[in-house]
Amino acid sequence: MSVSTAAAAAAADACSTEMSVRAIAAHLKSNPSAKVIFMVGAGISTSCGIPDFRSPGTGLYHNLARLNLPYPEAVFDVDFFQSDPLPFYTLAKELYPGTFKPSKFHHLLRLFQDKNLLRRVYTQNIDTLERQAGVANDLIIEAHGSFAHCHCIGCGKIYPPQGFKSKLSEDPIRNFARCEVCNELIKPAIVFFGEDLPDSFSKTWSSDSEWLRGKLRTSEKHQQPLVIVVGTSLAVYPFASLPEEVPRKVKRVLCNLETVGDFKSNKRSTDLIVNQYSDAFAEQLVEELGWKKDLEKILKAQTAATENPTEQLLEVVHDLEKLSLDRPEHEAVDKKDKRPLHDNNNNHDNDGDGKEVDKSSTQNNGNA
Ligand SMILES: [Zn+2]
């Protein structure tokens, strides 16, 4: 491709991205009672410093080369873990919740929740940044598990995360968390290769699919839902089958650098494609929706919570109180409970929903 053709192609891409974002905003404006289902992957966390799994050169699997794995994916293989737990421990130390802060896109999810427009977030990520951004536990399905619970790989006994976490603080790591019953290794409820996905994944998707079909049948206007898929290569099943199973009349959006999965192989005439980074997408969408100030407030609250100077905190509290005055009483109370000021990395221990590995038929055929 010549330079001028490449430039023209880039300009055309930018133009079609802009048109797609406008179309998404237009849909949300004309369907003010609609709710959105998000399906997200590693791409939404790369700007937080978490490498995605598959990018050549920068991906997590590439970085694992120094751990002397027989093959990169072995880090998520139960048999390999049993023979050598150190690579997974090393990875867990890097990824353990609390090290990273949510991205703009994570905060956009929170904004959809605050606007009462969020039906669900299906995430392949194990970084819990959706929770850290303040999205309510019952609105998140962590399809590939999380660090919130641990279990023994021998007898299945469930353990709180603290025992595993305490081993990560040793430098170098020499000891591994073991079961008090059978002395086998204890591992977080991250879904490894060949393991079942959490029961909540298929149960919730079944209920959400029914909800989508119900919305198509309803005669009430302004409620047409939207499914937005972001930052995923749609390479890992069963997660990748979710967009395929969205009823044909429901509008789907893909925001990803490349057009992938069912959006490529089975493109629907109503699909909207945004070939863009997720944070840039968040910025463009809030602009179109008139939510820019709301996003700025959330980002300011995060900065204040991170840096913690009293002045900034007071300013943010003042802003939030002003915001609450404009809302009904119950909603205002709700907002206060969810803001990040009260949310310092404490909400990955408290969710009993869907972490235990379950006996459903859906199995993971690869992480992220
Ligand atoms: Zn055991």
Side-chain angles (χ1 to χ4, degrees), residues 217-277:
R217 287 194 296 267
T218 183
S219 54
E220 291 173 58
K221 287 181 177 171
H222 315 307
Q223 293 198 11
Q224 288 314 304
L226 203 57
V227 171
I228 307 184
V229 181
V230 188
T232 168
S233 53
L234 289 176
V236 178
Y237 284 84
F239 195 96
S241 65
L242 297 184
E244 297 169 18
E245 292 170 16
V246 171
R248 292 203 73 84
K249 284 185 178 167
V250 174
K251 197 172 270 185
R252 305 186 305 179
V253 176
L254 173 72
C255 168
N256 197 54
L257 290 182
E258 287 171 31
T259 306
V260 291
D262 203 50
F263 290 88
K264 190 176 178 183
S265 55
N266 265 313
K267 191 177 182 329
R268 303 177 184 178
S269 59
T270 49
D271 283 348
L272 292 166
I273 308 288
V274 180
N275 293 127
Q276 179 64 284
Y277 286 104

Side-chain angles (χ1 to χ4, degrees), residues 278-316:
S278 54
D279 284 351
F281 173 59
E283 280 170 23
Q284 290 160 354
L285 194 56
V286 296
E287 182 84 50
E288 289 293 333
L289 289 168
W291 297 356
K292 207 175 162 184
K293 285 218 162 73
D294 301 319
L295 184 64
E296 280 167 3
K297 279 201 176 91
I298 291 179
L299 290 170
K300 210 166 155 186
Q302 167 165 301
T303 310
T306 310
E307 295 171 2
N308 212 17
T310 316
E311 275 172 40
Q312 280 189 33
L313 273 171
L314 289 174
E315 197 183 324
V316 172

Side-chain angles (χ1 to χ4, degrees), residues 39-64:
M39 300 168 178
V40 301
I44 70 163
S45 294
T46 45
S47 68
C48 313
I50 301 175
D52 79 21
F53 282 73
R54 292 167 197 285
S55 299
T58 57
L60 199 50
Y61 286 147
H62 178 84
N63 290 336
L64 289 173

Side-chain angles (χ1 to χ4, degrees), residues 152 155 179 182:
C152 165
C155 69
C179 177
C182 69

Side-chain angles (χ1 to χ4, degrees), residues 6 61 100-101 104 128 155 175 177 207 236 242 291 344 360-361:
Y61 286 147
F100 300 95
K101 296 282 171 273
K104 269 187 194 160
T128 67
C155 69
N175 300 301
S207 134
V236 178
L242 297 184
W291 297 356
N344 273 331
S360 77
S361 60

